[in-house]
């Protein structure tokens, strides 16, 4: 009516990519390299879970559920598959800003921290992910159209954080080797 058109992803796409579990499943489907997590198992040949969006624009519920840990016992099982070496993160899919996330490196602490995460972000699906120590948080900015075309614009380094929350972002991300960042851009375009 006013000649204004929304330029951006559709609501289902924003919903899926805004959900940490669904986004990880889509990333694995798009062959984006991923660290071990509770969705790394249970797919074909017990490999990474993979799925395309269904008619509702979401990850099929049965695949989504395989990546979640709804009970302490499911979390313990996922942690055993991933391994405690180097540490694990318990994460609420709907958490953010430092809420709903805990570091653990043994089963006893996992049992306590899992309940804390459940109580911090009530009702949120929870997943377990291997901790990447001494890693940088680099992001790729992409733009795409409704026809499936996507290009990578650039990226930013979001590594400066306090309590798992970004403080500021630097662009361009000069810390990454150009060839490495080019591969990151290609992976983001596939996603």
């Amino acid at each position: 009516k006013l000649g204004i058109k929304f330029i951006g992803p559709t609501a289902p796409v924003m919903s899926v990519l805004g959900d940490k579990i669904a986004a990880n499943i889509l990333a694995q489907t798009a062959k984006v390299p991923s660290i071990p997590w509770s969705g790394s198992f249970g797919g074909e040949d017990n490999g990474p879970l993979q799925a395309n969006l269904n008619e509702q624009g979401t990850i099929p519920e049965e695949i989504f559920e395989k990546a979640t840990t709804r009970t302490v016992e499911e979390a313990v099982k996922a942690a055993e598959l991933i391994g405690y070496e180097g540490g694990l993160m318990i994460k609420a899919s709907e958490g953010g800003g430092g809420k709903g996330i805990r570091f653990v490196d043994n089963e006893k602490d996992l049992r306590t921290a899992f309940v804390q995460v459940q109580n911090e972000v009530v009702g949120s699906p929870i997943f377990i992910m291997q901790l990447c120590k001494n890693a940088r948080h680099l992001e790729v900015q992409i733009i795409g159209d409704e026809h499936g075309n996507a290009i990578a614009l650039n990226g930013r380094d979001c590594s400066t954080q306090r309590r798992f929350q970004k403080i500021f972002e630097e662009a361009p991300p000069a810390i990454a080797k150009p060839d490495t960042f080019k591969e990151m851009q290609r992976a983001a375009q596939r996603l």
Side-chain angles (χ1 to χ4, degrees):
K1 182 177 176 182
L2 297 175
I4 299 171
K5 180 176 180 166
F6 174 73
I7 300 174
T10 62
V13 169
M14 286 195 294
S15 177
V16 169
L17 291 178
D19 181 281
K20 296 172 185 77
I21 293 171
N24 273 302
I25 293 169
L26 279 183
Q28 289 175 167
T29 304
K31 306 288 188 246
V32 174
S34 302
I35 61 174
W37 70 294
S38 52
S40 293
F41 315 97
E44 232 176 86
D45 298 325
N46 205 32
L49 294 170
Q50 296 186 3
N52 291 311
L53 300 181
N54 59 25
E55 291 176 5
Q56 293 77 37
T58 62
I59 295 290
E61 189 66 28
E62 65 276 2
I63 295 174
F64 184 91
E65 285 300 317
K66 285 182 179 181
T68 66
T69 55
R70 297 284 183 175
T71 66
V72 171
E73 294 311 318
E74 288 178 359
V76 168
K77 184 177 176 184
E80 289 171 354
L81 287 170
I82 298 166
Y84 286 97
E85 188 177 335
L88 299 170
M89 299 303 289
I90 304 170
K91 299 174 95 173
S93 185
E94 297 167 2
K99 284 190 158 205
I101 187 168
R102 293 286 188 287
F103 167 81
V104 297
D105 60 5
N106 62 70
E107 183 179 328
K108 180 178 180 268
D109 290 347
L110 181 141
R111 290 179 176 277
T112 302
F114 186 85
V115 174
Q116 291 173 337
V117 169
Q118 278 182 317
N119 291 331
E120 226 168 79
V121 188
V122 178
S124 174
I126 297 172
F127 64 106
I128 312 296
M129 183 171 267
Q130 183 181 64
L131 175 67
C132 286
K133 291 186 177 178
N134 301 316
R136 303 293 294 199
H137 178 149
L138 304 183
E139 296 181 358
V140 176
Q141 296 166 320
I142 63 168
I143 188 166
D145 64 20
E146 62 188 66
H147 307 290
N149 301 304
I151 59 169
L153 300 176
N154 207 319
R156 55 188 176 230
D157 186 340
C158 307
S159 301
T160 305
Q161 299 185 11
R162 184 179 64 199
R163 292 192 296 261
F164 310 113
Q165 189 169 10
K166 293 183 255 184
I167 295 175
F168 62 85
E169 303 170 359
E170 297 178 80
I175 193 79
K177 294 178 184 172
D179 290 348
T180 300
F181 196 73
K182 181 61 78 182
E183 285 303 312
M184 289 175 61
Q185 288 177 308
R186 288 185 182 125
Q189 286 173 279
R190 288 193 307 272
L191 179 58

